[in-house]
């Protein structure tokens, strides 16, 4: 049986990485086989592409270039890591996936949504998450949390608040269009409280 594929989405500072960690610990405690991975990245090549994407640079990065680099990393990640894990019975928890491309490169950068969906499907070989947890938070609140991570803002984090507002709106529209797959979770409460919501959702879906 194919194991579940769960993705974590939301703007910067919404709590994705924190919640992936909490769910992984929880699953380990219940001896549920799983891996944790992230996009862009997840394989040595895809991690190199991540470095290219997130580096702050003088040269302008065009939206089309950015889109294709994300998709290239995804193509590698899906085939080398995600599919083999799922077919060996290990669940996959992914910190971002295709919805991030729709929200950032589509809604926020303005690339046509149908084109992005086509590229997402091509890169992912048609793979869709069984469940997507969308951590929803006001961008100003999300950004206030970021200095706590103790590193300088990357190229995407350095975008304007307006850019991130559009990303948030894009995510909410994706959720409205796929309400069964994408579950919105309020990201504003303390992490433990957010996690209780995550637990309730994965218990109902997968019996975890
Ligand atoms: N619910 C929460 N309330 C307050 N701070 C949080 C919460 N969740 C995460 N944090 C902190 O906010 C920062 C960003 O969280 P993180 O999980 O890295 O978000 P993301 O991966 O979505 O950018 C981290 O320093 C983290 O410890
Ligand atoms: Mg993160």
């Amino acid at each position: 049986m194919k194991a579940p594929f769960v993705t974590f989405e939301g703007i910067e500072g919404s709590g994705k990485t924190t919640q992936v960690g909490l769910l992984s610990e929880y699953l380990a405690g219940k001896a549920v086989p799983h891996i944790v991975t992230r996009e862009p990245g997840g394989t040595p090549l895809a991690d190199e592409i991540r470095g290219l994407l997130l580096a702050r640079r003088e040269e302008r990065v065009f939206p089309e270039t950015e889109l294709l680099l994300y998709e290239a990393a995804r193509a590698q990640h899906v085939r080398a890591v995600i599919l083999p894990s799922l077919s060996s019975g290990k669940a996959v928890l992914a910190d971002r996936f295709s919805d991030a491309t729709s929200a950032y490169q589509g809604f926020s950068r303005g690339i046509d949504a149908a084109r992005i969906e086509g590229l997402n499907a091509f890169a992912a070989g048609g793979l869709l998450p069984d469940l997507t947890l969308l951590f929803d938070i006001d961008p100003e609140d999300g950004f206030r949390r970021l200095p706590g991570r103790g590193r300088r803002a990357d190229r995407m984090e350095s975008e304007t608040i307006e850019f991130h507002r559009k990303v948030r709106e894009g995510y909410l529209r994706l959720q409205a269009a796929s309400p069964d797959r994408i579950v919105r979770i309020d990201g504003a409460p303390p992490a433990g409280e957010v996690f209780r919501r995550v637990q309730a959702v994965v218990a109902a879906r997968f019996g975890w």
Side-chain angles (χ1 to χ4, degrees), residues 19-35:
Q19 296 298 324
V20 168
L22 290 171
L23 182 57
S24 175
E25 261 176 51
Y26 174 74
L27 294 181
K30 301 188 109 193
V32 175
H34 70 281
I35 63 161

Side-chain angles (χ1 to χ4, degrees), residues 11-18 95 145-146 148-149 187-191 194:
I11 62 165
E12 325 298 330
S14 60
K16 300 176 295 298
T17 303
T18 301
D95 192 334
R145 291 175 176 176
L146 295 186
R149 293 198 298 208
V194 175

Side-chain angles (χ1 to χ4, degrees), residues 9-11 96-111 113 116-117 120 132 134-137 139 161-179 181-182 184:
E9 298 282 1
I11 62 165
R96 294 195 182 283
F97 193 63
S98 299
D99 294 309
T101 309
S102 300
Y104 282 77
Q105 283 68 48
F107 286 96
S108 208
R109 298 253 192 249
I111 298 177
I116 293 205
E117 273 186 32
N120 279 346
T132 297
L134 170 58
F135 299 94
D136 185 42
I137 194 168
I161 260 298
E162 204 38 54
F163 174 85
H164 289 97
R165 263 191 238 297
K166 280 198 250 167
V167 173
R168 180 193 194 188
E169 199 201 317
Y171 272 129
L172 291 173
R173 287 206 212 169
L174 292 169
Q175 195 277 329
S178 302
R181 175 175 65 84
I182 307 179
R184 177 190 169 279

